[in-house]
Amino acid sequence: MPHSLPLITTLATAFGLALVLGVLAARLKLPALVGYLLAGIMLGPFTPGFVADAQLGHELAEIGVMLLMFGVGLHFSLDDLLAVRKIALPGAILQIAVATALGAGIAAAWDWSLGGALVFGLALSVASTVVLLRTLEAHGILDSMNGRIAVGWLVVEDLAMVLVLVLLPPLAGALGGDAPDAGAGSLWGTLALTLLKVSAFIALMLVGGRRVLPKLLWLVAGTGSRELFTLCVVAAAVSIAYGAAELFGVSFALGAFFAGMVLRESEFSHRAAEESLPLREAFAVLFFVSVGMLFDPRVLVEQPLQVLAVVGIIVVGKSIAAAALVLLLRYPLNTALIVSASLAQIGEFSFILAGLGVSLGLLPVEGQSLILAGALISIALNPVVFKAAEPLQAWLGSHSKLARQLEHPADPLAELPMSTHERYLSGQVVLVGYGRVGRRIAQALAERDIPYVVAERNRELVERLRADGGAAVSGDAADPAVLIQAHIARASMLVVAIPDTLDARQMIATARTLNPTIETVLRTHNEEEAELLEREAAGKVFLGENELANGMTRHVLERYGKAR
């Protein structure tokens, strides 16, 4: 039997070592991603011992990029982005500009070329979506307002980096890269042709893809074969990415992203995401391992000050810039700290951009090593930075008058206007949360002409409600001041439509202190939490699964009775 099997050898060593080091990283309370990068470093040519096949690793990494970006597209929601657009769009764009300027400035001080400095700064400006989502899930705040703002911010960053990946190759010559620079006219012609091809691809995907791909999924799902459905999803991702690169000159990343975004339009999008998840995560591991193989650990010894500067820009510079922008947009200190901690790392887009910069002759190999070092250290530090946000907020609140003012910024949306009708100030329902559940409750109350006041952390939603003539206040209802502004003392009922048990208990305590006879209604997704709340006499508790089962049972019994 032949023993020269480079593909199997590379897969076996990469998966095996990534598993061992990933488990070790998890036991040390670090992201498993750190273990995958370390596995790549150990398999790379810059460390002693076995060296994996670099060319195969690069090709496997390309597949990993496709599936990573396909997953980003599958989870990309334009509605979620629009809900936080007033903070995510300006915040992300300005933060990218500030971080890019910091990175490019320090690279220029090292006598790098303009193109190298620009790529370096851009690579330091964008955080890892993978790390962010897993961190928010671990802290249970992915569906919170702060979590939605952070995710929306990252979506804008990802879209900006997709645009950079499209524009960088035609601009490489003008920036001092390997591409020939044949003059301004030729440059603008090449740029226009590139944008034309990208526009044609996007139009094809949005017009034709939206019609064809969902129907294809429906057809394959009709076979009842799970493996064919999974194969269809993966084939769509890889084939569209490859076709986009071959026919339109578009990067694999952009092609896969739009494949995922179009498949999201299908009613099978959740199943597509679930069925393809194991394969996407497996190749994501290979992507991070292959990135680690490019890292030269000697940079930590030979250039410690440069590494420290890079980590400082990622962890400190980006965080301060993001926090300042959030505060300038009139959001509270808590939101500023959560968003800044979420962005205090870099990841997959930084790796893709660094690799493209090196291949175009813009970024020196030394720059790629510094970016990888910054990523490895910032990802390892991110759990610590994230955990420090809450104690830091408490310390600032007790030691700084300015911090206390920032926690409750002077916001015209934080209190009801003087012109609010009396019917909203006495006997009203105070509705906390205007998400999917809260919106339906509000609609039912409005249909019955029952007055209600919404307390919502999303300023955009509050602005929209007021523009439509509704009564709403902006802020965290766990803060007594917000419920006071909603006139909880004279309300007839408090309805907590958010599934946050800890905050709900604080809201109920505040409401009963100010209004002992108030009736309270709340929701939860957890049976243990439901039992705890009922034991504490927190009011009427609705458990999501129970209500779903009761509704389905009523329908079945009603239909069965009619059939008999």
Side-chain angles (χ1 to χ4, degrees):
M1 179 178 179
H3 295 283
S4 179
L5 302 170
L7 176 60
I8 295 177
T9 304
T10 301
L11 289 174
T13 53
F15 280 134
L17 196 55
L19 173 62
V20 173
L21 295 180
V23 170
L24 181 61
R27 294 295 297 270
L28 295 174
K29 306 299 182 183
L30 297 173
L33 183 56
V34 174
Y36 307 153
L37 291 170
L38 288 175
I41 294 171
M42 294 179 66
L43 294 174
F46 304 106
T47 54
F50 175 77
V51 177
D53 189 310
Q55 182 58 37
L56 277 176
H58 176 73
E59 292 188 20
L60 292 172
E62 289 286 5
I63 300 176
V65 170
M66 293 182 201
L67 295 179
L68 266 175
M69 293 308 300
F70 177 68
V72 172
L74 272 175
H75 292 93
F76 175 74
S77 171
L78 188 59
D79 291 337
D80 290 345
L81 178 59
L82 291 176
V84 294
R85 67 189 183 282
K86 290 189 177 180
I87 181 174
L89 273 172
I93 292 171
L94 290 173
Q95 180 255 306
I96 288 174
V98 171
T100 301
L102 290 173
I106 199 169
W110 297 335
D111 294 327
W112 290 10
S113 68
L114 172 63
L118 181 61
V119 171
F120 187 72
L122 286 168
L124 300 186
S125 70
V126 58
S128 166
T129 307
V130 174
V131 173
L132 172 72
L133 292 176
R134 291 178 180 175
T135 301
L136 294 176
E137 286 176 348
H139 287 80
I141 58 174
L142 181 59
D143 293 324
S144 69
M145 189 60 227
N146 288 341
R148 289 199 294 271
I149 289 173
V151 172
W153 195 299
L154 257 291
V155 168
V156 176
E157 284 192 353
D158 288 352
L159 292 176
M161 289 305 112
V162 167
L163 183 62
V164 169
L165 293 177
V166 169
L167 296 179
L168 197 57
L171 291 173
L175 294 173
D178 291 337
D181 184 7
S186 178
L187 169 63
W188 289 111
T190 303
L191 195 57
L193 181 61
T194 300
L195 291 176
L196 182 63
K197 288 182 177 180
V198 172
S199 300
F201 169 71
I202 293 174
L204 179 63
M205 290 300 298
L206 293 181
V207 177
R210 277 185 170 181
R211 297 178 179 179
V212 175
L213 287 180
K215 290 181 179 178
L216 179 62
L217 277 183
W218 175 268
L219 178 66
V220 175
T223 65
S225 172
R226 183 172 181 175
E227 60 268 24
L228 282 177
F229 185 86
T230 304
L231 178 61
C232 178
V233 172
V234 176
V238 177
S239 301
I240 290 174
Y242 178 76
E246 287 294 312
L247 300 178
F248 296 93
V250 175
S251 67
F252 289 138
L254 183 63
F257 173 79
F258 271 94
M261 196 173 76
V262 169
L263 278 181
R264 182 182 169 83
E265 301 293 322
S266 168
E267 61 188 37
F268 292 104
S269 60
H270 291 292
R271 183 180 171 188
E274 182 181 346
E275 297 288 353
S276 64
L277 181 61
L279 192 62
R280 285 191 284 121
E281 296 208 332
F283 275 95
V285 170
L286 291 176
F287 168 69
F288 291 116
V289 170
S290 68
V291 168
M293 291 172 64
L294 301 173
F295 178 61
D296 187 352
R298 289 178 299 181
V299 73
L300 299 173
V301 179
E302 297 173 357
Q303 297 178 299
L305 294 180
Q306 286 90 331
V307 172
L308 190 61
V310 170
V311 174
I313 291 173
I314 298 169
V315 177
V316 180
K318 278 176 58 180
S319 298
I320 292 176
L325 290 168
V326 172
L327 294 174
L328 285 173
L329 292 169
R330 292 178 175 268
Y331 278 79
L333 180 62
N334 172 261
T335 300
L337 291 176
I338 292 297
V339 171
S340 61
S342 301
L343 302 176
Q345 40 80 18
I346 59 174
E348 56 274 6
F349 260 116
S350 303
F351 305 147
I352 297 169
L353 190 58
L356 180 62
V358 171
S359 68
L360 294 173
L362 293 171
L363 185 70
V365 177
E366 167 197 354
Q368 187 174 41
S369 293
L370 288 172
I371 291 170
L372 294 176
L376 188 61
I377 296 172
S378 65
I379 291 171
L381 289 177
N382 195 243
V384 178
V385 174
F386 212 95
K387 287 181 181 178
E390 188 173 343
L392 178 60
Q393 180 189 355
W395 185 86
L396 289 173
S398 61
H399 290 80
S400 171
K401 181 180 179 181
L402 177 61
R404 290 191 291 273
Q405 292 174 345
L406 291 175
E407 188 56 48
H408 309 289
D411 186 355
L413 298 179
E415 56 186 40
L416 291 175
M418 295 296 294
S419 59
T420 302
H421 195 278
E422 177 66 26
R423 70 193 297 262
Y424 295 105
L425 308 179
S426 179
Q428 82 283 14
V429 174
V430 174
L431 175 61
V432 177
Y434 199 72
R436 289 186 292 269
V437 175
R439 194 175 295 115
R440 287 171 171 79
I441 296 173
Q443 183 179 356
L445 293 174
E447 289 172 352
R448 291 160 179 80
D449 198 30
I450 299 173
Y452 64 92
V453 177
V454 174
E456 169 61 53
R457 297 183 69 174
N458 189 334
R459 297 182 78 256
E460 285 80 358
L461 287 178
V462 174
E463 288 180 348
R464 197 183 312 160
L465 284 167
R466 289 195 180 186
D468 293 339
V473 294
S474 172
D476 184 356
D479 178 4
V482 175
L483 289 181
I484 291 172
Q485 292 298 331
H487 290 256
I488 193 69
R490 299 173 64 189
S492 62
M493 184 178 295
L494 170 66
V495 180
V496 182
I498 60 173
D500 192 324
T501 303
L502 186 62
D503 284 350
R505 293 167 74 186
Q506 179 61 43
M507 296 172 201
I508 291 169
T510 300
R512 288 181 174 171
T513 300
L514 299 173
N515 187 347
T517 62
I518 193 169
E519 184 177 350
T520 57
V521 180
L522 61 155
R523 59 177 283 217
T524 180
H525 290 310
N526 188 292
E527 288 191 20
E528 295 179 358
E529 290 178 352
E531 292 175 2
L532 174 64
L533 290 167
E534 288 174 349
R535 283 201 302 269
E536 294 179 353
K540 179 63 176 176
V541 181
F542 287 88
L543 179 63
E545 288 78 2
N546 283 354
E547 298 311 309
L548 178 62
N550 291 339
M552 292 179 70
T553 301
R554 284 194 298 270
H555 176 78
V556 169
L557 294 178
E558 178 183 346
R559 299 298 298 171
Y560 183 79
K562 289 183 178 180
R564 292 291 297 271

